[in-house]
Short mmCIF file of all heavy atoms in Angstrom, two decimals:
data_model
loop_
_atom_site.label_atom_id
_atom_site.label_comp_id
_atom_site.label_asym_id
_atom_site.label_seq_id
_atom_site.Cartn_x
_atom_site.Cartn_y
_atom_site.Cartn_z
N LEU A 207 11.27 -67.54 -3.26
CA LEU A 207 12.58 -68.07 -2.86
C LEU A 207 13.47 -68.45 -4.05
O LEU A 207 14.59 -68.90 -3.86
CB LEU A 207 12.39 -69.27 -1.93
CG LEU A 207 11.67 -68.97 -0.62
CD1 LEU A 207 11.49 -70.24 0.20
CD2 LEU A 207 12.39 -67.90 0.18
N ASN A 208 12.95 -68.31 -5.26
CA ASN A 208 13.71 -68.53 -6.50
C ASN A 208 14.45 -69.87 -6.50
O ASN A 208 15.66 -69.93 -6.70
CB ASN A 208 14.69 -67.38 -6.74
CG ASN A 208 15.20 -67.37 -8.17
OD1 ASN A 208 14.55 -67.89 -9.08
ND2 ASN A 208 16.36 -66.79 -8.37
N ARG A 209 13.70 -70.92 -6.28
CA ARG A 209 14.29 -72.25 -6.14
C ARG A 209 13.98 -73.17 -7.32
O ARG A 209 14.68 -74.14 -7.55
CB ARG A 209 13.77 -72.86 -4.83
CG ARG A 209 14.39 -74.14 -4.41
CD ARG A 209 13.72 -74.74 -3.19
NE ARG A 209 12.33 -75.07 -3.47
CZ ARG A 209 11.27 -74.49 -2.88
NH1 ARG A 209 11.44 -73.59 -1.95
NH2 ARG A 209 10.05 -74.84 -3.20
N LEU A 210 12.93 -72.91 -8.06
CA LEU A 210 12.49 -73.82 -9.12
C LEU A 210 13.45 -73.76 -10.30
O LEU A 210 13.61 -72.73 -10.94
CB LEU A 210 11.07 -73.49 -9.58
CG LEU A 210 9.99 -73.57 -8.50
CD1 LEU A 210 8.66 -73.15 -9.07
CD2 LEU A 210 9.91 -74.98 -7.94
N LYS A 211 14.06 -74.90 -10.61
CA LYS A 211 15.04 -74.93 -11.69
C LYS A 211 14.74 -76.01 -12.74
O LYS A 211 15.23 -75.93 -13.84
CB LYS A 211 16.44 -75.20 -11.12
CG LYS A 211 16.87 -74.27 -10.00
CD LYS A 211 17.20 -72.90 -10.50
CE LYS A 211 17.80 -72.06 -9.40
NZ LYS A 211 17.04 -70.94 -9.00
N GLY A 212 14.00 -77.01 -12.39
CA GLY A 212 13.76 -78.14 -13.29
C GLY A 212 13.05 -77.72 -14.57
O GLY A 212 12.14 -76.92 -14.55
N LYS A 213 13.51 -78.26 -15.66
CA LYS A 213 12.92 -77.93 -16.96
C LYS A 213 11.92 -78.98 -17.41
O LYS A 213 11.01 -78.68 -18.16
CB LYS A 213 14.02 -77.78 -18.02
CG LYS A 213 15.01 -76.69 -17.71
CD LYS A 213 14.37 -75.33 -17.76
CE LYS A 213 15.39 -74.24 -17.47
NZ LYS A 213 14.84 -73.05 -16.94
N SER A 214 12.12 -80.22 -16.99
CA SER A 214 11.20 -81.27 -17.43
C SER A 214 11.06 -82.34 -16.35
O SER A 214 11.95 -82.51 -15.51
CB SER A 214 11.68 -81.88 -18.74
OG SER A 214 12.93 -82.49 -18.57
N PHE A 215 9.94 -83.04 -16.43
CA PHE A 215 9.65 -84.08 -15.45
C PHE A 215 10.79 -85.08 -15.40
O PHE A 215 11.23 -85.60 -16.42
CB PHE A 215 8.35 -84.80 -15.83
CG PHE A 215 7.97 -85.89 -14.86
CD1 PHE A 215 7.28 -85.58 -13.70
CD2 PHE A 215 8.34 -87.21 -15.09
CE1 PHE A 215 6.94 -86.57 -12.79
CE2 PHE A 215 8.00 -88.20 -14.18
CZ PHE A 215 7.31 -87.87 -13.04
N GLY A 216 11.30 -85.32 -14.21
CA GLY A 216 12.30 -86.35 -14.01
C GLY A 216 13.74 -85.90 -14.11
O GLY A 216 14.64 -86.67 -13.80
N ASP A 217 14.00 -84.65 -14.56
CA ASP A 217 15.40 -84.24 -14.59
C ASP A 217 15.88 -84.03 -13.15
O ASP A 217 15.10 -84.04 -12.20
CB ASP A 217 15.63 -83.03 -15.49
CG ASP A 217 15.04 -81.71 -14.99
OD1 ASP A 217 14.70 -81.61 -13.79
OD2 ASP A 217 14.92 -80.78 -15.81
N ASP A 218 17.19 -83.89 -12.97
CA ASP A 218 17.75 -83.83 -11.62
C ASP A 218 17.17 -82.69 -10.78
O ASP A 218 16.91 -82.86 -9.59
CB ASP A 218 19.28 -83.71 -11.67
CG ASP A 218 19.96 -85.03 -12.00
OD1 ASP A 218 19.28 -86.09 -11.90
OD2 ASP A 218 21.15 -85.01 -12.34
N GLU A 219 16.98 -81.54 -11.40
CA GLU A 219 16.43 -80.40 -10.66
C GLU A 219 14.98 -80.67 -10.26
O GLU A 219 14.54 -80.30 -9.17
CB GLU A 219 16.52 -79.11 -11.48
CG GLU A 219 17.94 -78.60 -11.66
CD GLU A 219 18.67 -79.25 -12.83
OE1 GLU A 219 18.04 -80.01 -13.60
OE2 GLU A 219 19.89 -79.01 -12.95
N TYR A 220 14.23 -81.31 -11.14
CA TYR A 220 12.84 -81.67 -10.83
C TYR A 220 12.80 -82.65 -9.65
O TYR A 220 12.02 -82.47 -8.72
CB TYR A 220 12.17 -82.27 -12.06
CG TYR A 220 10.71 -82.58 -11.88
CD1 TYR A 220 9.74 -81.68 -12.31
CD2 TYR A 220 10.29 -83.76 -11.28
CE1 TYR A 220 8.40 -81.95 -12.15
CE2 TYR A 220 8.95 -84.04 -11.11
CZ TYR A 220 8.00 -83.13 -11.54
OH TYR A 220 6.67 -83.40 -11.36
N LYS A 221 13.64 -83.66 -9.71
CA LYS A 221 13.70 -84.64 -8.63
C LYS A 221 14.04 -83.96 -7.30
O LYS A 221 13.43 -84.25 -6.27
CB LYS A 221 14.77 -85.70 -8.93
CG LYS A 221 14.44 -86.60 -10.09
CD LYS A 221 15.62 -87.50 -10.40
CE LYS A 221 15.43 -88.21 -11.71
NZ LYS A 221 16.62 -88.99 -12.09
N PHE A 222 15.00 -83.06 -7.35
CA PHE A 222 15.41 -82.36 -6.14
C PHE A 222 14.26 -81.53 -5.58
O PHE A 222 14.01 -81.53 -4.38
CB PHE A 222 16.63 -81.48 -6.42
CG PHE A 222 17.12 -80.75 -5.22
CD1 PHE A 222 17.83 -81.41 -4.23
CD2 PHE A 222 16.88 -79.39 -5.07
CE1 PHE A 222 18.28 -80.75 -3.10
CE2 PHE A 222 17.32 -78.71 -3.95
CZ PHE A 222 18.03 -79.40 -2.97
N GLU A 223 13.54 -80.84 -6.43
CA GLU A 223 12.41 -80.03 -5.99
C GLU A 223 11.32 -80.89 -5.36
O GLU A 223 10.67 -80.48 -4.39
CB GLU A 223 11.85 -79.21 -7.15
CG GLU A 223 10.62 -78.40 -6.82
CD GLU A 223 10.81 -77.34 -5.74
OE1 GLU A 223 11.96 -76.91 -5.47
OE2 GLU A 223 9.79 -76.93 -5.15
N GLU A 224 11.13 -82.10 -5.85
CA GLU A 224 10.16 -83.01 -5.24
C GLU A 224 10.58 -83.36 -3.81
O GLU A 224 9.74 -83.46 -2.92
CB GLU A 224 9.98 -84.27 -6.07
CG GLU A 224 9.18 -84.05 -7.33
CD GLU A 224 7.79 -83.50 -7.07
OE1 GLU A 224 7.08 -84.02 -6.19
OE2 GLU A 224 7.42 -82.51 -7.73
N LEU A 225 11.88 -83.52 -3.59
CA LEU A 225 12.37 -83.78 -2.24
C LEU A 225 12.09 -82.58 -1.33
O LEU A 225 11.61 -82.75 -0.21
CB LEU A 225 13.87 -84.09 -2.27
CG LEU A 225 14.31 -85.34 -3.01
CD1 LEU A 225 15.84 -85.42 -3.05
CD2 LEU A 225 13.72 -86.59 -2.39
N VAL A 226 12.38 -81.39 -1.81
CA VAL A 226 12.15 -80.18 -1.03
C VAL A 226 10.68 -80.07 -0.66
O VAL A 226 10.33 -79.82 0.51
CB VAL A 226 12.62 -78.92 -1.80
CG1 VAL A 226 12.21 -77.65 -1.06
CG2 VAL A 226 14.12 -78.95 -2.04
N ALA A 227 9.81 -80.25 -1.64
CA ALA A 227 8.37 -80.09 -1.40
C ALA A 227 7.85 -81.12 -0.41
O ALA A 227 7.05 -80.79 0.48
CB ALA A 227 7.60 -80.18 -2.71
N GLU A 228 8.30 -82.35 -0.52
CA GLU A 228 7.78 -83.39 0.38
C GLU A 228 8.32 -83.22 1.80
O GLU A 228 7.58 -83.38 2.77
CB GLU A 228 8.09 -84.79 -0.15
CG GLU A 228 7.31 -85.87 0.53
CD GLU A 228 5.79 -85.77 0.34
OE1 GLU A 228 5.32 -85.11 -0.60
OE2 GLU A 228 5.08 -86.36 1.18
N ILE A 229 9.59 -82.88 1.92
CA ILE A 229 10.14 -82.65 3.25
C ILE A 229 9.44 -81.45 3.90
O ILE A 229 9.07 -81.49 5.09
CB ILE A 229 11.67 -82.43 3.20
CG1 ILE A 229 12.36 -83.74 2.80
CG2 ILE A 229 12.20 -81.95 4.56
CD1 ILE A 229 13.83 -83.58 2.44
N GLY A 230 9.22 -80.40 3.14
CA GLY A 230 8.51 -79.23 3.68
C GLY A 230 7.10 -79.59 4.12
O GLY A 230 6.64 -79.14 5.18
N SER A 231 6.44 -80.40 3.33
CA SER A 231 5.09 -80.85 3.70
C SER A 231 5.13 -81.65 5.00
O SER A 231 4.29 -81.45 5.88
CB SER A 231 4.51 -81.70 2.57
OG SER A 231 3.25 -82.20 2.92
N ILE A 232 6.10 -82.51 5.14
CA ILE A 232 6.24 -83.30 6.37
C ILE A 232 6.42 -82.37 7.58
O ILE A 232 5.79 -82.56 8.63
CB ILE A 232 7.43 -84.28 6.28
CG1 ILE A 232 7.13 -85.41 5.29
CG2 ILE A 232 7.78 -84.86 7.65
CD1 ILE A 232 8.34 -86.27 4.95
N LEU A 233 7.27 -81.37 7.45
CA LEU A 233 7.53 -80.45 8.56
C LEU A 233 6.24 -79.73 8.99
O LEU A 233 5.95 -79.63 10.18
CB LEU A 233 8.61 -79.43 8.17
CG LEU A 233 10.01 -80.00 7.95
CD1 LEU A 233 10.94 -78.92 7.41
CD2 LEU A 233 10.56 -80.61 9.22
N ILE A 234 5.48 -79.25 8.01
CA ILE A 234 4.23 -78.57 8.34
C ILE A 234 3.23 -79.55 8.94
O ILE A 234 2.56 -79.25 9.92
CB ILE A 234 3.64 -77.88 7.10
CG1 ILE A 234 4.56 -76.73 6.65
CG2 ILE A 234 2.23 -77.35 7.38
CD1 ILE A 234 4.19 -76.14 5.31
N ASN A 235 3.12 -80.72 8.33
CA ASN A 235 2.18 -81.73 8.83
C ASN A 235 2.49 -82.09 10.27
O ASN A 235 1.56 -82.20 11.09
CB ASN A 235 2.21 -82.98 7.96
CG ASN A 235 1.62 -82.74 6.59
OD1 ASN A 235 0.77 -81.88 6.41
ND2 ASN A 235 2.07 -83.50 5.61
N PHE A 236 3.74 -82.30 10.60
CA PHE A 236 4.10 -82.62 11.99
C PHE A 236 3.68 -81.49 12.92
O PHE A 236 3.15 -81.73 14.00
CB PHE A 236 5.59 -82.88 12.11
CG PHE A 236 6.00 -84.29 11.80
CD1 PHE A 236 5.12 -85.22 11.29
CD2 PHE A 236 7.31 -84.69 12.00
CE1 PHE A 236 5.50 -86.52 11.01
CE2 PHE A 236 7.71 -85.99 11.72
CZ PHE A 236 6.81 -86.90 11.23
N GLU A 237 3.95 -80.27 12.51
CA GLU A 237 3.61 -79.13 13.35
C GLU A 237 2.10 -79.05 13.60
O GLU A 237 1.67 -78.67 14.68
CB GLU A 237 4.09 -77.85 12.68
CG GLU A 237 3.97 -76.64 13.55
CD GLU A 237 4.65 -75.43 12.94
OE1 GLU A 237 5.75 -75.57 12.39
OE2 GLU A 237 4.06 -74.35 13.03
N LEU A 238 1.32 -79.44 12.61
CA LEU A 238 -0.14 -79.38 12.72
C LEU A 238 -0.76 -80.68 13.26
O LEU A 238 -1.96 -80.78 13.38
CB LEU A 238 -0.76 -79.05 11.36
CG LEU A 238 -0.38 -77.68 10.79
CD1 LEU A 238 -0.96 -77.51 9.40
CD2 LEU A 238 -0.84 -76.56 11.72
N GLY A 239 0.09 -81.66 13.55
CA GLY A 239 -0.41 -82.93 14.08
C GLY A 239 -0.98 -83.86 13.03
O GLY A 239 -1.73 -84.78 13.35
N ILE A 240 -0.63 -83.64 11.78
CA ILE A 240 -1.07 -84.51 10.68
C ILE A 240 0.00 -85.59 10.52
O ILE A 240 1.04 -85.35 9.92
CB ILE A 240 -1.27 -83.70 9.38
CG1 ILE A 240 -2.33 -82.63 9.59
CG2 ILE A 240 -1.63 -84.62 8.22
CD1 ILE A 240 -2.46 -81.64 8.45
N LEU A 241 -0.28 -86.76 11.07
CA LEU A 241 0.74 -87.81 11.12
C LEU A 241 0.42 -89.02 10.26
O LEU A 241 1.31 -89.82 9.98
CB LEU A 241 0.94 -88.25 12.57
CG LEU A 241 1.24 -87.12 13.56
CD1 LEU A 241 1.30 -87.66 14.98
CD2 LEU A 241 2.51 -86.38 13.20
N ASP A 242 -0.81 -89.16 9.84
CA ASP A 242 -1.22 -90.36 9.11
C ASP A 242 -0.51 -90.55 7.77
O ASP A 242 -0.44 -91.66 7.26
CB ASP A 242 -2.73 -90.36 8.86
CG ASP A 242 -3.53 -90.60 10.13
OD1 ASP A 242 -2.90 -90.81 11.19
OD2 ASP A 242 -4.76 -90.57 10.06
N GLU A 243 -0.01 -89.48 7.19
CA GLU A 243 0.61 -89.57 5.87
C GLU A 243 2.12 -89.74 5.92
O GLU A 243 2.78 -89.78 4.88
CB GLU A 243 0.25 -88.33 5.05
CG GLU A 243 -1.20 -88.28 4.64
CD GLU A 243 -1.61 -89.51 3.85
OE1 GLU A 243 -0.99 -89.79 2.80
OE2 GLU A 243 -2.55 -90.20 4.29
N PHE A 244 2.69 -89.87 7.11
CA PHE A 244 4.14 -89.92 7.25
C PHE A 244 4.76 -91.08 6.47
O PHE A 244 5.74 -90.89 5.75
CB PHE A 244 4.54 -89.98 8.72
CG PHE A 244 6.02 -89.98 8.93
CD1 PHE A 244 6.78 -88.87 8.59
CD2 PHE A 244 6.66 -91.08 9.47
CE1 PHE A 244 8.15 -88.87 8.77
CE2 PHE A 244 8.03 -91.09 9.65
CZ PHE A 244 8.78 -89.98 9.30
N ILE A 245 4.20 -92.26 6.58
CA ILE A 245 4.76 -93.42 5.87
C ILE A 245 4.70 -93.21 4.36
O ILE A 245 5.66 -93.51 3.64
CB ILE A 245 4.04 -94.73 6.28
CG1 ILE A 245 4.27 -95.02 7.76
CG2 ILE A 245 4.48 -95.90 5.41
CD1 ILE A 245 5.72 -95.22 8.16
N ASN A 246 3.59 -92.68 3.86
CA ASN A 246 3.49 -92.39 2.43
C ASN A 246 4.53 -91.36 2.01
O ASN A 246 5.11 -91.46 0.92
CB ASN A 246 2.09 -91.92 2.07
CG ASN A 246 1.09 -93.03 2.12
OD1 ASN A 246 1.41 -94.20 1.92
ND2 ASN A 246 -0.16 -92.69 2.41
N SER A 247 4.76 -90.38 2.86
CA SER A 247 5.76 -89.36 2.56
C SER A 247 7.16 -89.97 2.49
O SER A 247 7.96 -89.63 1.62
CB SER A 247 5.74 -88.24 3.60
OG SER A 247 4.57 -87.48 3.47
N LEU A 248 7.46 -90.88 3.41
CA LEU A 248 8.77 -91.54 3.37
C LEU A 248 8.95 -92.35 2.09
O LEU A 248 10.02 -92.34 1.49
CB LEU A 248 8.95 -92.45 4.59
CG LEU A 248 9.15 -91.75 5.93
CD1 LEU A 248 9.30 -92.77 7.04
CD2 LEU A 248 10.33 -90.81 5.89
N ARG A 249 7.90 -93.04 1.68
CA ARG A 249 7.96 -93.79 0.42
C ARG A 249 8.20 -92.86 -0.76
O ARG A 249 8.97 -93.16 -1.67
CB ARG A 249 6.67 -94.58 0.22
CG ARG A 249 6.51 -95.75 1.15
CD ARG A 249 5.20 -96.48 0.90
NE ARG A 249 5.01 -97.51 1.89
CZ ARG A 249 3.90 -97.67 2.60
NH1 ARG A 249 2.86 -96.88 2.42
NH2 ARG A 249 3.82 -98.63 3.49
N TYR A 250 7.51 -91.73 -0.74
CA TYR A 250 7.66 -90.75 -1.81
C TYR A 250 9.09 -90.22 -1.84
O TYR A 250 9.72 -90.14 -2.91
CB TYR A 250 6.66 -89.61 -1.58
CG TYR A 250 6.51 -88.68 -2.74
CD1 TYR A 250 5.71 -89.01 -3.83
CD2 TYR A 250 7.14 -87.43 -2.74
CE1 TYR A 250 5.56 -88.14 -4.89
CE2 TYR A 250 6.98 -86.56 -3.80
CZ TYR A 250 6.19 -86.92 -4.87
OH TYR A 250 6.05 -86.06 -5.93
N LEU A 251 9.62 -89.86 -0.68
CA LEU A 251 11.01 -89.38 -0.60
C LEU A 251 11.98 -90.43 -1.10
O LEU A 251 12.92 -90.12 -1.84
CB LEU A 251 11.36 -89.00 0.84
CG LEU A 251 10.76 -87.73 1.39
CD1 LEU A 251 11.10 -87.59 2.86
CD2 LEU A 251 11.24 -86.51 0.61
N LYS A 252 11.76 -91.66 -0.70
CA LYS A 252 12.65 -92.75 -1.13
C LYS A 252 12.64 -92.90 -2.64
O LYS A 252 13.69 -93.06 -3.27
CB LYS A 252 12.24 -94.06 -0.45
CG LYS A 252 13.18 -95.20 -0.76
CD LYS A 252 12.78 -96.47 -0.03
CE LYS A 252 13.80 -97.54 -0.36
NZ LYS A 252 13.30 -98.86 -0.24
N SER A 253 11.46 -92.82 -3.24
CA SER A 253 11.38 -93.01 -4.69
C SER A 253 12.14 -91.90 -5.44
O SER A 253 12.82 -92.18 -6.42
CB SER A 253 9.92 -93.05 -5.15
OG SER A 253 9.31 -91.79 -5.07
N TRP A 254 12.06 -90.67 -4.96
CA TRP A 254 12.76 -89.59 -5.64
C TRP A 254 14.24 -89.56 -5.30
O TRP A 254 15.06 -89.19 -6.14
CB TRP A 254 12.12 -88.24 -5.33
CG TRP A 254 10.83 -88.04 -6.06
CD1 TRP A 254 9.58 -88.05 -5.53
CD2 TRP A 254 10.66 -87.83 -7.47
NE1 TRP A 254 8.64 -87.86 -6.52
CE2 TRP A 254 9.28 -87.72 -7.72
CE3 TRP A 254 11.53 -87.72 -8.54
CZ2 TRP A 254 8.76 -87.50 -9.00
CZ3 TRP A 254 11.02 -87.50 -9.82
CH2 TRP A 254 9.64 -87.39 -10.03
#
Side-chain angles (χ1 to χ4, degrees):
L207 298 178
N208 196 24
R209 188 186 63 245
L210 300 177
K211 307 287 188 245
K213 299 294 181 206
S214 62
F215 181 83
D217 69 17
D218 283 345
E219 290 85 7
Y220 184 97
K221 292 173 191 175
F222 181 75
E223 177 61 21
E224 286 302 312
L225 296 175
V226 173
E228 194 63 21
I229 292 168
S231 177
I232 290 170
L233 293 173
I234 293 170
N235 290 333
F236 275 7
E237 188 171 319
L238 297 175
I240 299 171
L241 307 175
D242 289 357
E243 291 302 303
F244 182 66
I245 296 299
N246 288 332
S247 290
L248 289 180
R249 289 180 186 129
Y250 192 80
L251 287 174
K252 185 178 182 205
S253 71
W254 284 108

